[in-house]
Amino acid sequence: MFSTDMARIRIHQHVNPLAPYFRFVPQPIEFQTIFADPKLPLHLDIGSARGRFLLKMAAIKPDWNFLGVEIREPLVEEANKIRDENNLTNLHYEFCNATFALDKSLKNLPADVLQTVTVQFPDPWYKKKHAKRRMVKNNLVETVVRHLKFNGRIFIQTDVDFLAEEMFATFKADGNLRECEINENPFPVKTEREAAVEGKDLPVFRRMFEKIA
Ligand SMILES: C[S@@+](CC[C@H](N)C(=O)[O-])C[C@H]1O[C@@H](n2cnc3c(N)ncnc32)[C@H](O)[C@@H]1O
């Protein structure tokens, strides 16, 4: 269905978001130029990796815009090339250290367009000594909630039980959110990591939150 013919580029498996190189202040994303119609409802995927989830979502839902933010720049470049090869004008990937700089990247986001956010299998940082490198922190939640439209939704999933509890607790602690009941992933596309985990019959922990204030 898609042209994803580019040779899979070699990249670092993980990068340390605390390293000085990744503590840069990004330019705000120019929403007026990255999408053909910036007024469409927006879906934000944080930690979009190779971007295949959004590539498929953008093709299925041409009446939405899709933005992926990812800390590994070569993956962002590759994903944007594949987007261009597939002539998708409702899809964009941005190089961003979401833990520290999402707010700067979203500075020019038009009001009331951000309707859904996904955080899917975000962390390779399982060891306690690496906890500071984990993506979901209070400031990331605060940024997402501030930009999210009223009634907008945040979907989170991971296969690591203790990281799931930590992430869910961080979102739950935000008084502007309420948890919604879900029995399964509500999205029609699985991420690469999700497919790999489910292929091994391993459990996936999921939560959905809605902005109520
Ligand atoms: C395990 S992968 C999962 C990718 C994809 N969401 C999936 O489910 O297949 C986690 C992704 O989050 C990215 N990531 C980790 N920390 C990040 C940060 N601070 N800002 C942006 N991306 C980050 C990693 O580089 C990686 O691509």
Side-chain angles (χ1 to χ4, degrees), residues 6-207:
M6 295 177 60
R8 270 174 93 90
I9 49 172
R10 284 185 170 278
I11 38 123
H12 291 289
Q13 190 78 5
H14 312 304
V15 298
N16 175 1
L18 302 176
Y21 179 78
F22 294 106
R23 302 293 294 251
F24 63 97
V25 178
Q27 288 298 312
I29 298 170
E30 291 305 334
F31 289 90
Q32 303 302 322
T33 54
I34 59 169
F35 297 128
D37 182 357
K39 292 188 296 300
L40 293 178
L42 177 67
H43 177 103
L44 168 66
D45 187 41
I46 306 176
S48 50
R50 290 183 185 273
R52 303 301 197 263
F53 166 75
L54 290 186
L55 183 71
K56 291 178 188 157
M57 289 293 294
I60 295 172
K61 289 177 165 263
D63 51 347
W64 278 64
N65 286 328
F66 293 88
L67 171 65
V69 293
E70 168 56 48
I71 197 170
R72 289 181 291 170
E73 195 172 16
L75 294 188
V76 172
E77 288 169 2
E78 180 199 52
N80 277 326
K81 275 188 196 152
I82 294 172
R83 180 248 354 242
D84 290 344
E85 286 163 7
N86 288 280
N87 301 313
L88 290 164
T89 58
N90 62 335
L91 175 61
H92 180 79
Y93 303 92
E94 190 78 13
F95 175 39
C96 171
N97 182 347
T99 308
F100 299 100
L102 186 62
D103 201 32
K104 306 279 186 313
S105 291
L106 297 184
K107 185 167 177 269
N108 294 340
L109 179 68
D112 287 342
V113 296
L114 183 59
Q115 295 216 3
T116 47
V117 177
T118 41
V119 179
Q120 309 188 80
F121 305 87
D123 279 315
W125 308 116
Y126 308 135
K127 292 182 184 161
K128 208 170 176 185
K129 68 175 180 183
H130 289 148
K132 280 189 181 161
R133 299 180 183 183
R134 291 178 193 155
M135 183 203 281
V136 175
K137 304 267 195 303
N138 290 336
N139 65 317
L140 179 124
V141 173
E142 193 270 326
T143 296
V144 167
V145 171
R146 185 155 31 83
H147 287 282
L148 194 63
K149 192 179 152 85
F150 182 68
N151 287 148
R153 291 188 160 202
I154 305 165
F155 176 64
I156 311 157
Q157 56 174 344
T158 179
D159 55 319
V160 185
D161 53 0
F162 70 92
L163 289 181
E165 290 314 316
E166 185 180 285
M167 278 200 293
F168 299 159
T170 310
F171 278 95
K172 258 187 195 167
D174 190 301
N176 299 300
L177 298 175
R178 80 168 175 94
E179 198 177 324
C180 314
E181 248 187 55
I182 48 164
N183 298 321
E184 54 186 25
N185 182 347
F187 290 95
V189 177
K190 291 186 193 303
T191 72
E192 288 180 90
R193 177 67 184 245
E194 183 179 2
V197 169
E198 289 191 343
K200 292 179 198 155
D201 272 338
L202 295 171
V204 176
F205 308 96
R206 302 183 167 104
R207 291 288 187 278

